[in-house]
Amino acid sequence: MNIGDAAKQSGLPAKTIRYYEEISLVVPGRSDNGYRTYSPTDVHKLQFVQRARGLGFSVEDCRALLSLYEDDHRASADVKAIATEHLSEIEAKIAELKALHKTLKHLVDHCHGDDRPHCPIIDDLAGPDH
Amino acid sequence: MNIGDAAKQSGLPAKTIRYYEEISLVVPGRSDNGYRTYSPTDVHKLQFVQRARGLGFSVEDCRALLSLYEDDHRASADVKAIATEHLSEIEAKIAELKALHKTLKHLVDHCHGDDRPHCPIIDDLAGPDH
DNA sequence: CCTTGACCTTCCAGTAACTGGAAGCCTTAT
DNA sequence: ATAAGGCTTCCAGTTACTGGAAGGTCAAGG
């Protein structure tokens, strides 16, 4: 299967699939004319990566997950460890964004948003003594 | 004031301050020996940017906010527009992360995390028909 | 047989916002 | 005289692609 069809079946852009070969994440075969050839297994791997990326795993996480996926003797604990770590990163990010949101919302709510120059948002950014 | 002191007063690394000069965000003068010279106004701008970045504004947002900060005749509506836009981006990001979190937490909670290979996380990533 | 269009190839550059490191100059203190 | 610390520039690397240019390949239609 050529890269265009692999793209359709995996939901990934062809450019991304080429990139995944470049970083040795999913490496296809080649046919005589130099075209990349994706086996069903390759396409499964692409789909796997597409889903994992969709869950926010980094490409390096995907690499680790993919090798666990291919290892019939994996320990589910190894998978869980990666996922749990990612989960805490997500939680940390949510907490950070919520704090930002709170501060910013407060400022926005107190800004008249008219044609006059006075603005509590700018005042806050300028610092306490300006 | 040299870059080291500007760094201390703004809370930004010297590397970052040099970068801000490179992108014409905060451009200092130079003394005879070629050293960057930061005026009190320059330092205020650096502090302003440091705070705005801390609130998650992009560097380009900071550039716009800085020019509004310097404009005594600005309309607060212009500031509010940037902040409101940023606020919705934060909200969107939070929503996205919450959705990811929900999915991933569900998977993690159902994974035994022991030394056996069966793993619902991997099963989910592999897709419905594998 | 030739051309057209849809594929495919490689390579280069750009994105956001820095960060690290190397090589070397300036200044001050010992 | 030299050592330490701060300053300079320039180059490369980070993450995960994305866009575009120049050109090869293939199947169908005139």
Side-chain angles (χ1 to χ4, degrees), chain A residues 15 36 45 63 67 82 87-88 94 96:
Chain A
K15 275 266 177 186
R36 288 169 180 81
K45 289 190 200 174
R63 192 190 300 278
S67 85
I82 294 173
L87 206 48
S88 341
I94 290 175
E96 184 193 336

Side-chain angles (χ1 to χ4, degrees), chain A residues 70-85:
Chain A
E70 305 226 86
D71 177 6
D72 291 340
H73 303 301
R74 70 180 162 254
S76 64
D78 292 341
V79 180
K80 191 170 183 172
I82 294 173
T84 301
E85 171 66 21

Side-chain angles (χ1 to χ4, degrees), chain B residues 13 15-16 19-20 33 35 53 58-60:
Chain B
K15 274 268 178 186
T16 300
Y19 171 69
Y20 287 164
N33 60 12
Y35 285 15
R53 293 285 298 128
S58 73
V59 166
E60 287 315 304

Side-chain angles (χ1 to χ4, degrees), chain B residues 30-129:
Chain B
R30 295 280 178 152
S31 50
D32 290 346
N33 60 12
Y35 285 15
R36 289 168 180 82
T37 302
Y38 289 86
S39 70
T41 302
D42 291 333
V43 172
H44 288 153
K45 288 192 203 172
L46 290 172
Q47 290 168 338
F48 183 98
V49 172
Q50 195 267 344
R51 288 201 184 85
R53 293 285 298 128
L55 282 176
F57 286 101
S58 73
V59 166
E60 287 315 304
D61 278 347
C62 291
R63 194 190 300 278
L65 290 169
L66 207 46
S67 86
L68 290 171
Y69 170 55
E70 307 227 85
D71 177 7
D72 291 338
H73 305 301
R74 70 178 163 255
S76 65
D78 292 342
V79 181
K80 190 169 182 171
I82 294 173
T84 302
E85 171 67 21
H86 181 39
L87 206 48
S88 355
E89 286 165 13
I90 290 173
E91 283 163 8
K93 193 73 194 172
I94 290 174
E96 184 193 335
L97 287 175
K98 278 187 175 172
L100 288 187
H101 185 272
K102 186 178 170 186
T103 305
L104 201 53
K105 179 125 187 29
H106 181 79
L107 291 174
V108 163
D109 286 348
H110 284 74
C111 176
H112 286 294
D114 54 23
D115 54 3
R116 285 172 299 174
H118 172 68
C119 176
I121 302 170
I122 287 284
D123 287 351
D124 184 84
L125 293 172
D129 35 337

Side-chain angles (χ1 to χ4, degrees), chain A residues 15-16 19-20 33 35 53 58:
Chain A
K15 275 266 177 186
T16 299
Y19 171 70
Y20 286 165
N33 58 12
Y35 285 16
R53 292 286 298 128
S58 71

Side-chain angles (χ1 to χ4, degrees), chain A residues 49-69:
Chain A
V49 172
Q50 194 268 343
R51 288 200 183 86
R53 292 286 298 128
L55 283 176
F57 286 102
S58 71
V59 168
E60 287 315 304
D61 278 347
C62 290
R63 192 190 300 278
L65 289 170
L66 206 47
S67 85
L68 289 171
Y69 171 55

Side-chain angles (χ1 to χ4, degrees), chain A:
Chain A
M1 180 188 311
N2 285 348
I3 197 169
D5 292 322
K8 267 171 211 145
Q9 298 212 13
S10 64
L12 292 166
K15 275 266 177 186
T16 299
I17 297 179
R18 285 194 199 96
Y19 171 70
Y20 286 165
E21 180 189 8
E22 191 185 322
I23 62 170
S24 307
L25 187 61
V26 178
V27 180
R30 295 279 179 152
S31 51
D32 291 346
N33 58 12
Y35 285 16
R36 288 169 180 81
T37 303
Y38 289 86
S39 69
T41 300
D42 291 332
V43 173
H44 289 331
K45 289 190 200 174
L46 289 173
Q47 291 169 337
F48 182 98
V49 172
Q50 194 268 343
R51 288 200 183 86
R53 292 286 298 128
L55 283 176
F57 286 102
S58 71
V59 168
E60 287 315 304
D61 278 347
C62 290
R63 192 190 300 278
L65 289 170
L66 206 47
S67 85
L68 289 171
Y69 171 55
E70 305 226 86
D71 177 6
D72 291 340
H73 303 301
R74 70 180 162 254
S76 64
D78 292 341
V79 180
K80 191 170 183 172
I82 294 173
T84 301
E85 171 66 21
H86 180 38
L87 206 48
S88 341
E89 286 164 14
I90 291 174
E91 283 163 8
K93 193 75 194 169
I94 290 175
E96 184 193 336
L97 288 175
K98 278 187 174 172
L100 288 186
H101 186 272
K102 186 178 170 186
T103 304
L104 201 54
K105 179 126 186 27
H106 180 79
L107 291 174
V108 164
D109 285 349
H110 285 74
C111 175
H112 286 294
D114 53 24
D115 54 4
R116 286 171 299 174
H118 173 69
C119 177
I121 302 169
I122 287 282
D123 288 350
D124 184 84
L125 293 173
D129 35 340
H130 294 291

